[in-house]
Amino acid sequence: MDTMKHGGWVLQHATTDVLLKLKPHAEAAWKHMQHWSDPLLQRASPYLESSTRWMDAQLGGLMPWQIAILSAVTVLLLVWLLQLVLAAATDLKEAGVLQSMFEVMKRLPGIRGIVQRENAKMLVKIRASINKENGVSHEQQYLELPKVGMAADDLKARLQSRGKRDVAFKEGSSRVSGTLYLMGQEHCRLLNDVYASYSHTNPMHADVFPSVRQMELEVVAMTAAMLGGGPSGDREVCGAMTSGGTESILTAVKASRDYMRARKGIRRPEMVVGQSAHAAFFKAAEYFNVKLVMVPVGKDYRVSAAAVARAMTRNTVLVVASSPCFPHGVIDDVTGIAALARRHGVCCHVDACLGGFVLPFARAAGYPVPPFDFAVPGVTSMSVDTHKFGMAHKGTSVVLYRSSAIRRHQYTRVTEWSGGLYISPGFAGSRSGALISTAWTSMLHQGHQGYVKLTDQMMKASRQFAEGVQAIEGLELAGKPAMTVVAFKATKPRALNIYAVNDALSARGWHLNALQLPPALHMCFTAQHASVVEALLKDLRDVVQDLQSGGEQVKDGMAPVYGLASVSPDRNIIGEFLVAYQDVLLSG
Ligand SMILES: *Cc1c(COP(=O)(O)O)cnc(C)c1O
């Protein structure tokens, strides 16, 4: 879904406000600086000369040992200054000259106040806009415990009324890209029943709930067997369950970092990812102090081995390939990138959060699928989401490793705790056994044939859509779709604003994903889209035609925001907007 959908117009207003207000101040500040700096230098020069004469006179009366101490102190001072300058230079290099200038400018007295006031105004606007769109103002809010507990019937009625605000859809005709992966009322009911019967369980207590432990290891084993592990592949492949794709990626990055530290003693770890790699890698870099080295994608939107090779250093611990990537749905050069990792003796993660439960079955259904999993030598870990195309409830995913020698680096052991001897497999302590049981149930209920059938249906829908897009004048595909994600952009961005296309589609009830770098949109087809392709293509054709023949853009849409985000040199203002938006979501 589009994170910035609500209150999107606010950013445009807020940032243009800030930029416009800053401009005269910047100019004035510059003039002001020249005004006092020139005379100051002139006035200072006689003092500078006399001070050197003064120093000569002073030093002349000193003993040699005193001069030696003075020199030593001076050297130390210079070193300290040099360090300061170097640190500033590093900041400058990392943030970029332009961004650093903006940061300095925004800290100047007078300007800082304006930025703060504008940010406060922005927050108020975002809050009002989100609450209006979500209909919050019409509902009673509960921000403190009720004195007396509410009756079950009452609560159910309230939940039902709140649920009415959410997007509703009929089976198989979702208008939302991705998001809803679960399919079939019968499948869904089964999972809900299973959840209810395991809702009290927790795999942390393997001795109390041995059934859950057994289900977790079976989910992992079945997933590994689909992806180049298991009896017909590499039997060493192993893994663990996590709460979702992001956690699988975070876990793999942490394990790879510590594995490489143990093997090669790398203490300033770096990882190389394509610009199309999932945002979870950026999060992992932030959490685990791994330097993120980002490489651009090629003309085909894939990350090439050559690009990765250029970015590798002695400190590289991990290189990443996506199968496929979220934005354009293309599969990176897994074979080339994994070979590179193998040659350098470093880890290689394949992110198959999206593709893990599609690509093996697409291959079985006869679609061409390049090597992308543990069948490729050099791949050391993978992330695979049971809660996407595995058709399980949200809250489960699988992280896989080439061998248990890597997996053990995701564990935490504590031997000096008064609470006892402690070992934990990953980030979480307690976990939901119920979610594990639903993932297990989903996989066994679908079976190989069930997944192949659903995949074939989704592949057909995606191909039909891709062909339809290519036939629309003014649009072209952004990358050749490897599976069920179809990305497209304007053939001539000056003639057609693709974000305006998105706004017009949103006005017709569609929720597509907006991409950037370059501006594009994508639709991720799931089992819920079997009967909507024609309708989507028709709306897309109408909207593009209308905009190209001078039709009005949707008012208060996202197009101006993305337009601004794509040209704004101050990335921090965009970042500040995102943070303000998140603040509002979390606190009302
Ligand atoms: C969805 C996705 C993820 C992360 O998924 P979450 O389950 O939302 O944390 C990672 N990589 C790709 C390619 C994805 O599509």
Side-chain angles (χ1 to χ4, degrees):
M1 291 282 291
D2 209 319
T3 355
M4 305 209 298
K5 202 116 235 165
H6 309 280
W9 53 274
V10 173
L11 173 66
Q12 189 215 1
H13 291 270
T15 46
T16 16
D17 282 1
V18 171
L19 290 177
L20 283 179
K21 284 198 181 142
L22 289 185
K23 197 163 163 269
H25 285 267
E27 282 166 3
W30 178 243
K31 280 216 193 87
H32 193 61
M33 242 167 68
Q34 281 180 324
H35 182 71
W36 57 255
S37 63
D38 291 350
L40 199 73
L41 275 177
Q42 272 171 17
R43 242 179 287 162
S45 59
Y47 292 103
L48 283 175
E49 272 171 39
S50 68
S51 68
T52 49
R53 249 179 279 126
W54 173 83
M55 219 147 85
D56 284 349
Q58 297 298 314
L59 288 178
L62 284 183
M63 303 290 287
W65 62 270
Q66 286 174 312
I67 294 183
I69 288 183
L70 204 65
S71 314
V73 170
T74 314
V75 167
L76 283 178
L77 268 175
L78 281 178
V79 168
W80 176 69
L81 262 176
L82 191 69
Q83 273 174 346
L84 279 188
V85 171
L86 279 181
T90 314
D91 284 352
L92 199 70
K93 202 170 136 215
E94 274 170 13
V97 176
L98 205 58
Q99 189 68 57
S100 307
M101 260 171 54
F102 278 118
E103 294 317 306
V104 170
M105 213 167 91
K106 281 188 287 189
R107 258 180 261 138
L108 294 178
I111 293 181
R112 191 171 49 199
I114 295 181
V115 172
Q116 276 167 358
R117 273 198 303 281
E118 289 302 321
N119 278 349
K121 269 199 252 168
M122 174 163 82
L123 206 67
V124 172
K125 284 186 192 171
I126 297 174
R127 183 173 293 126
S129 169
I130 292 178
N131 286 346
K132 191 171 131 225
E133 262 184 55
N134 283 5
V136 169
S137 49
H138 308 301
E139 273 263 2
Q140 187 180 354
Q141 292 196 63
Y142 303 98
L143 304 176
E144 275 181 303
L145 274 179
K147 253 207 187 66
V148 184
M150 293 159 67
D153 285 345
D154 189 10
L155 283 170
K156 282 181 190 163
R158 276 164 210 266
L159 280 168
Q160 210 171 22
S161 118
R162 286 195 170 189
K164 291 212 176 88
R165 290 199 220 131
D166 300 342
V167 169
F169 66 99
K170 278 217 287 293
E171 189 78 53
S173 56
S174 159
R175 291 185 158 227
V176 184
S177 167
T179 315
L180 301 150
Y181 295 85
L182 259 176
M183 166 69 182
Q185 294 194 346
E186 187 261 347
H187 183 87
C188 215
R189 219 172 6 247
L190 171 65
L191 262 52
N192 289 344
D193 288 350
V194 168
Y195 188 101
S197 57
Y198 274 88
S199 60
H200 59 291
T201 62
N202 178 356
M204 187 161 80
H205 305 288
D207 50 343
V208 185
F209 306 111
S211 61
V212 177
R213 172 200 160 234
Q214 185 67 26
M215 283 190 276
E216 174 167 10
L217 71 84
E218 287 176 4
V219 166
V220 171
M222 287 190 281
T223 310
M226 285 161 32
L227 298 167
S232 54
D234 183 346
R235 284 169 183 274
E236 296 290 305
V237 172
C238 62
M241 285 185 76
T242 69
S243 67
T246 297
E247 193 184 319
S248 289
I249 289 170
L250 292 178
T251 309
V253 170
K254 190 263 178 207
S256 305
R257 181 198 69 176
D258 291 353
Y259 175 65
M260 290 311 296
R261 182 168 176 154
R263 275 202 44 196
K264 295 176 110 183
I266 297 176
R267 278 162 192 276
R268 290 169 178 250
E270 297 177 7
M271 65 175 156
V272 181
V273 310
Q275 189 152 33
S276 55
H278 195 268
F281 290 98
F282 294 67
K283 196 184 257 188
E286 208 173 289
Y287 285 5
F288 304 132
N289 259 324
V290 177
K291 184 177 168 195
L292 189 87
V293 183
M294 199 165 64
V295 301
V297 296
K299 282 209 169 63
D300 55 359
Y301 296 90
R302 297 167 69 229
V303 179
S304 69
V308 173
R310 277 194 293 277
M312 287 178 79
T313 71
R314 271 183 310 140
N315 287 327
T316 304
V317 293
L318 178 68
V319 297
V320 173
S322 304
S323 291
C325 66
F326 168 83
H328 309 109
V330 295
I331 300 177
D332 295 335
D333 178 10
V334 176
T335 308
I337 294 169
L340 200 62
R342 200 168 137 162
R343 223 172 25 252
H344 288 79
V346 302
C347 294
C348 171
H349 183 84
V350 171
D351 179 12
C353 279
L354 208 53
F357 275 86
V358 176
L359 295 175
F361 308 119
R363 188 183 277 155
Y367 296 91
V369 174
F372 73 98
D373 55 19
F374 285 106
V376 180
V379 172
T380 55
S381 59
M382 287 186 78
S383 40
V384 196
D385 283 357
T386 35
H387 76 187
K388 278 187 180 159
F389 289 105
M391 315 264 169
H393 278 160
K394 279 282 177 265
T396 61
S397 169
V398 174
V399 58
L400 295 172
Y401 300 99
R402 176 66 73 173
S403 77
S404 58
I406 312 175
R407 182 178 60 184
R408 56 205 324 253
H409 289 279
Q410 78 165 52
Y411 304 164
T412 297
R413 57 189 177 178
V414 183
T415 55
E416 310 305 313
W417 181 34
S418 54
L421 295 172
Y422 185 89
I423 180 87
S424 169
F427 298 160
S430 291
R431 289 185 292 152
S432 159
L435 285 174
I436 291 175
S437 75
T438 62
W440 182 86
T441 304
S442 178
M443 289 177 77
L444 288 174
H445 191 56
Q446 288 297 330
H448 183 81
Q449 278 182 0
Y451 283 126
V452 171
K453 190 164 159 240
L454 279 175
T455 300
D456 191 35
Q457 179 193 314
M458 294 184 291
M459 292 294 284
K460 285 201 175 103
S462 316
R463 294 202 157 190
Q464 185 193 348
F465 180 69
E467 277 162 25
V469 167
Q470 282 171 296
I472 297 176
E473 181 109 13
L475 292 182
E476 64 186 20
L477 293 180
K480 188 172 182 297
M483 46 173 256
T484 58
V485 174
V486 182
F488 56 94
K489 60 198 257 293
T491 321
K492 295 193 191 106
R494 277 170 202 275
L496 177 69
N497 180 347
I498 199 72
Y499 299 130
V501 171
N502 197 25
D503 285 343
L505 286 175
S506 299
R508 295 178 183 218
W510 299 99
H511 296 256
L512 269 64
N513 294 81
L515 315 172
Q516 54 169 0
L517 311 161
L521 304 177
H522 91 202
M523 178 75 187
C524 173
F525 288 90
T526 71
Q528 291 290 0
H529 295 115
S531 52
V532 298
V533 182
E534 274 306 331
L536 174 56
L537 277 172
K538 183 186 172 300
D539 279 348
L540 186 57
R541 259 192 305 269
D542 287 356
V543 161
V544 168
Q545 210 161 43
D546 181 47
L547 284 169
Q548 277 179 332
S549 55
E552 286 279 309
Q553 289 192 10
V554 173
K555 248 180 67 196
D556 286 355
M558 286 297 295
V561 178
Y562 273 101
L564 195 81
S566 64
V567 296
S568 169
D570 186 354
R571 306 310 291 174
N572 267 358
I573 287 196
I574 314 284
E576 282 301 322
F577 165 78
L578 293 176
V579 169
Y581 170 78
Q582 186 64 64
D583 270 346
V584 171
L585 281 190
L586 285 174
S587 45

